[in-house]
Amino acid sequence: MKDRLTDALYGLGWATVKKLPEPVANGLGRRIADQVWKRRGKSVLRLESNLARVVPDATPQRLAALSQAGMRSYMRYWMESFRLPSWSKDRMASGFEPEDVHHLVDGLASGRGVVLALPHMGNYDLAGAWVTTKLDTPFTTVAERLKPETLYDRFVAYRESLGMEVLPHVGGSAFGTLARRLRAGGLVCLVADRDLSASGVEVKFFGETTRMPAGPAMLAQQTGALLLPVTLWYDDSPIMKGRVHPPIEVPETGDRASKTSSMTQALADAFATGIADHPEDWHMLQRLWLADLEERRP
């Protein structure tokens, strides 16, 4: 029953929110965010706990303000996502303004393939829609298996409607497909600040240990693709902002494991730079650091 209700609510969002005028949808998102924030549920408390690592000298009042802004940013992501299928290509192409996009454009022009790795910031679906419209470049990504299956199917259909090839995050077949796309000079985009496999690489992130996926670094090593971190944020305008960070190079020495560890740490450092600049736009409402994950174990 819970799964069916969840699926129905998401379906209702895509069916109704996309019909609302943009200012109305934005206002609705802020009201929902403020109501959720005031209830101080598990997700809000977890967000505040995560933000306390990002801004360690923040007062309780500052943390509360950041978490409220964070919930508003998170709901802006959902309101945009529900509305994106109804946006024109021109609206998608003008909805995102990234800095230093030459790293991506030059990488694609080189024909070596590009891996874009992002944290849970801003709206990565909008960034992806910008790539498929403004740059007229298709790409491949991976989606976490959701329950119920019908909800996962909704997300796949939604992202495919924006021009993305979506692979399920199960088994090892996704890695092989991603590698083939990169060897053909294609583009792969991966959300990479939270390990879903329990076999990620340990990194230091805001002074504490967590695990992040090894996939981006391993793909770059095995295919010769360029690895580019990307961070996203919102300001007071309707246009999302972002930055394409400089490439993370494959170390010249060391075995595969040590190279993967070094590159994943560099990726974590780039993410940390963007998150520290815009902490309210990092939508991490789950446990992330190993210390928090260990607390959860019986």
Side-chain angles (χ1 to χ4, degrees):
M1 177 63 73
K2 181 181 178 181
D3 287 348
R4 288 199 297 271
L5 178 60
T6 300
D7 181 49
L9 288 173
Y10 279 104
L12 182 65
W14 269 300
T16 59
V17 174
K18 69 180 181 181
K19 298 177 182 177
L20 298 175
E22 193 162 339
V24 175
N26 292 341
L28 175 63
R30 284 192 297 272
R31 288 193 295 274
I32 294 173
D34 288 347
Q35 287 299 315
V36 171
W37 178 78
K38 287 176 183 176
R39 289 175 187 157
R40 309 289 293 165
K42 289 183 179 180
S43 294
V44 173
L45 295 177
R46 176 52 50 193
L47 176 62
E48 258 180 42
S49 176
N50 290 339
L51 289 171
R53 261 91 167 210
V54 176
V55 192
D57 58 347
T59 63
Q61 294 78 12
R62 169 67 172 150
L63 274 180
L66 272 177
S67 67
Q68 183 177 23
M71 292 307 298
R72 287 184 172 186
S73 175
Y74 185 51
M75 287 309 303
R76 176 172 171 175
Y77 158 77
W78 280 111
M79 291 295 129
E80 283 180 348
S81 295
F82 288 143
R83 289 177 49 78
L84 265 176
S86 67
W87 283 14
S88 68
K89 288 187 176 182
D90 286 344
R91 177 69 178 88
M92 291 180 190
S94 63
F96 177 41
E97 290 181 350
E99 301 171 2
D100 299 328
V101 74
H102 65 276
H103 293 305
L104 171 57
V105 174
D106 293 347
L108 291 171
S110 74
R112 61 185 288 195
V114 176
V115 180
L116 294 180
L118 307 90
H120 286 79
M121 289 187 81
N123 188 339
Y124 32 85
D125 289 325
L126 173 54
W130 180 87
V131 168
T132 61
T133 54
K134 181 73 172 181
L135 299 186
D136 194 24
T137 302
F139 66 88
T140 305
T141 189
V142 174
E144 179 184 0
R145 278 285 187 187
L146 301 172
K147 293 183 179 179
E149 191 73 14
T150 50
L151 180 58
Y152 171 78
D153 291 340
R154 285 185 190 275
F155 273 94
V156 170
Y158 156 63
R159 287 177 173 140
E160 287 180 342
S161 75
L162 301 176
M164 310 175 194
E165 178 188 20
V166 183
L167 307 176
H169 190 280
V170 290
S173 60
F175 188 92
T177 302
L178 296 174
R180 286 194 296 274
R181 300 292 183 268
L182 292 168
R183 290 190 181 103
L187 176 64
V188 164
C189 300
L190 300 171
V191 180
D193 59 342
R194 181 167 171 257
D195 179 49
L196 298 175
S197 67
S199 61
V201 177
E202 287 195 3
V203 295
K204 287 294 184 181
F205 193 53
F206 292 103
E208 294 191 43
T209 304
T210 186
R211 291 190 187 96
M212 291 189 180
M218 291 179 64
L219 284 166
Q221 288 180 67
Q222 292 192 22
T223 68
L226 200 65
L227 176 56
L228 298 175
V230 178
T231 51
L232 310 172
W233 66 89
Y234 293 121
D235 57 16
D236 294 331
S237 77
I239 299 172
M240 185 175 70
K241 304 301 191 294
R243 179 188 175 200
V244 182
H245 295 251
I248 294 175
E249 302 294 344
V250 178
E252 294 182 0
T253 60
D255 58 17
R256 179 178 296 179
S258 66
K259 290 179 179 179
T260 300
S261 178
S262 175
M263 294 173 72
T264 306
Q265 182 63 64
L267 197 61
D269 293 343
F271 290 167
T273 297
I275 292 168
D277 287 342
H278 305 279
E280 67 278 7
D281 293 312
W282 186 43
H283 307 149
M284 186 54 66
L285 280 66
Q286 297 85 20
R287 295 173 188 265
L288 181 72
W289 282 272
L290 297 192
D292 293 337
L293 294 170
E294 289 166 358
E295 284 178 9
R296 195 175 187 180
R297 294 172 185 166

